Structure formats: C-alpha cells, structure tokens
Amino acid sequence: MKYIDPHIHCVSRTTDDYQYMSRCGVVAVSEPAFWAGFDRSTASSFADYFRHLTDVEPKRAARYGIDHYCWLCINAKEAENVALARDVIKLIPPLLNHPRVLGVGEIGLNKNTRNEITVFEEQVDLAARYDQLILIHTPHLEDKHKGTSIITSILKNDKRIRPERVLIDHCEEHTIRLARDNGFWAGLTIYPVTKVTPQRGADILEQFGPHMICVNSASDWGESGPTNLTDTCLEYLRRGHSEAEALDIFYNNSCRFFGQGPKWRLREIH
Ligand SMILES: [Zn+2]
C-alpha cells in the first residue's frame, strides 16, 4: 500500500528512516518548519533552515523515491522573542512561490503565552495576505485543550480564513471536535509511548470516523519515528478495515487537503 506522511521532520531523521519509509510504501511527505532541537539565535539561522527545507531535504528524499514538500514559519517554541520572530517572518514572503512550499506552518501555540499569541496572529495574517494553506501545531499535554480553543477562536474571527484550508494537528480525543466541528481538518500525530499511540490512533479513527483526518508520525527530535505511521495503518487493517478504507485515510486524505494548493502533484487513488 502507498502512504503519505503529512507531518514529518526529515531534518532530524537518518537515512535509515528514509530507507524504511521507502520500503513501506511512503511516496510523499510534508515537512513543517519547527524547532531545531535548540533555540536559534539569529534570523540568518532560519534563512539556512528554510534553504535546508526547500532545497536540501527534497533532494535527499528523492534518492529514496519520496516526493518532499515543506512549510515555512517560526514555530511557537521560539516565538517568545518577538523581535527575532518578526525578522524571521520577513524572510518568508519571497519563498512562498517556491515549488516545494505548501503554505505557512506549523504555527500555533506551545505554552499559550501572550508573545506566542502575538506571533501566531501575525503569521495567520501573513497566510491570509498571501492566500496560503495553514498547518497548525497545538500544545502537547495539559495545555492542549486551552491552546486549541484559543487557536480556533483566532482563526474563526478572521473572516479571510477558510477553515477547510487549515489543518489543526496533534489532535486528541478531547480536541478533535474543536477542529472538525468548526470545519477545519484534524491531524493525528502518533508517538511510540506517550501521547497518541498506534492503538489509540486506530481507536480515534473508529470513534470519530476518518473524514478530514490526516495521520502522521511527526518524527521529530524526541522519541518518535516513521514506524508509528505504518503501525497505525497495520493496526487499523488488523481490526478488519479494508485496504481501500486505509488508503483513503493514509493517502487520499493528504491529497485532498494539500491538493487545495497549486503545488501538490499527487492525486487521489481509487
Ligand atoms: Zn511538527
């Protein structure tokens, strides 16, 4: 079966991960801009990071037959320094026409601070002015529900934002309705132990239905990895769902969301 990993941080992964994905049938990935495992001190570090995402990583992925796309932003974990964040935001508009850039993301909140909200609002404005798709990071653990509600309220109050062009990621059982009931896409990020595991991911797909859900592995600097995406699909199949149903979730849903922009080249398979 073919897969798409719609949220994966390839810059933090080894070539073994690319080989694993290639063997498992992952044919395309989308990589949001995020934290680099440490706080960067200058905007020029982000300029290099954006070049890594737009030029270096697509070539690395292509060696394993994987089509690599990306998103640009300053993430919430580094948004506390508003002056630095504004310098980084200025770097983004000239890159939005790059053929590998799908939109603005992953923007959102981490600890729900005033500065994070300011930087989030300024990047929502950027996305609206340039008519970009948006990918949202919601806080992990105890701040998740509050952060997700703040994010969805800001997005709903901006009449320029069409909710079907926004993916709210890292949803769990208590936040998935906040996303989908307001017309947004929901992302499920699967981790090995903490947060949503493959079994819990399959539970959520069964409980809430697969409509407008993109399942991903994040595969970031923490304990995570691309096996979590394929394990979730195997768990879903093990429960008696057909391969066509799984393909619709693990491949077609990403094509439906990303295909709203002009650059995504893969089409739904039926
Ligand atoms: Zn991420």
Side-chain angles (χ1 to χ4, degrees):
M1 199 184 106
K2 285 187 180 178
Y3 298 83
I4 292 165
D5 198 333
H7 185 145
I8 176 168
H9 296 288
C10 297
V11 301
S12 64
R13 308 315 294 189
T14 63
T15 47
D16 287 354
D17 287 323
Y18 271 123
Q19 281 176 328
Y20 169 82
M21 288 195 284
S22 185
R23 288 185 188 123
C24 286
V26 174
V27 292
V29 295
S30 112
E31 174 158 10
F34 194 52
W35 195 56
F38 62 96
D39 289 349
R40 285 158 282 205
S41 55
T42 63
S44 57
S45 289
F46 284 86
D48 284 339
Y49 176 53
F50 292 162
R51 194 162 53 83
H52 193 165
L53 291 177
T54 54
D55 291 341
V56 177
E57 215 57 46
K59 290 189 190 114
R60 193 169 164 235
R63 287 206 290 273
Y64 304 93
I66 295 172
D67 210 5
H68 179 286
Y69 296 85
C70 66
W71 303 72
L72 302 178
C73 76
I74 177 160
N75 64 89
K77 272 172 95 83
E78 288 173 278
E80 224 29 76
N81 183 341
V82 176
L84 172 64
R86 286 182 176 144
D87 284 344
V88 175
I89 293 169
K90 281 188 208 133
L91 300 171
I92 297 172
L95 295 169
L96 290 174
N97 281 331
H98 190 287
R100 293 278 136 195
V101 176
L102 296 177
V104 175
E106 58 187 293
I107 56 172
L109 300 176
N110 183 47
K111 292 185 173 154
N112 305 331
T113 67
R114 187 59 241 172
N115 284 346
E116 288 177 15
I117 292 171
T118 300
V119 172
F120 174 66
E121 287 175 329
E122 291 183 15
Q123 294 190 96
V124 170
D125 177 65
L126 174 78
R129 284 190 284 116
Y130 288 87
D131 194 28
Q132 296 293 305
L133 295 173
I134 297 176
L135 201 153
I136 299 283
H137 168 94
T138 55
H140 291 297
L141 308 176
E142 70 270 18
D143 294 323
K144 184 177 288 293
H145 190 273
K146 184 176 171 216
T148 307
S149 340
I150 297 170
I151 288 166
T152 51
S153 308
I154 291 170
L155 292 167
K156 280 195 297 177
N157 287 334
D158 190 328
K159 295 304 167 213
R160 300 170 299 171
I161 301 297
R162 283 177 279 159
E164 72 276 12
R165 289 171 57 85
V166 180
L167 171 63
I168 311 242
D169 219 321
H170 316 319
C171 284
E172 293 184 6
E173 294 87 345
H174 61 309
T175 56
I176 193 164
R177 287 199 181 95
L178 271 174
R180 285 200 316 188
D181 291 358
N182 286 303
F184 302 107
W185 282 75
L188 283 186
T189 306
I190 312 297
Y191 293 94
V193 182
T194 58
K195 307 166 190 163
V196 179
T197 58
Q199 290 71 24
R200 205 172 131 197
D203 286 346
I204 293 173
L205 289 169
E206 290 184 328
Q207 191 183 342
F208 294 90
H211 179 61
M212 288 177 87
I213 292 184
C214 288
V215 187
N216 62 79
S217 73
S219 298
D220 51 34
W221 294 97
E223 279 182 39
S224 55
T227 54
N228 295 300
L229 179 69
T230 43
D231 284 355
T232 308
C233 184
L234 290 173
E235 173 65 16
Y236 190 72
L237 291 167
R238 193 188 62 77
R239 296 180 182 196
H241 299 282
S242 69
E243 194 171 308
E245 287 174 291
L247 188 75
D248 211 50
I249 297 169
F250 294 88
Y251 189 96
N252 288 344
N253 273 356
S254 288
C255 291
R256 291 178 182 119
F257 177 68
F258 299 142
Q260 296 179 91
K263 297 172 194 164
W264 182 256
R265 292 189 295 213
L266 289 79
R267 293 293 167 254
E268 290 170 42
I269 300 171
H270 292 286

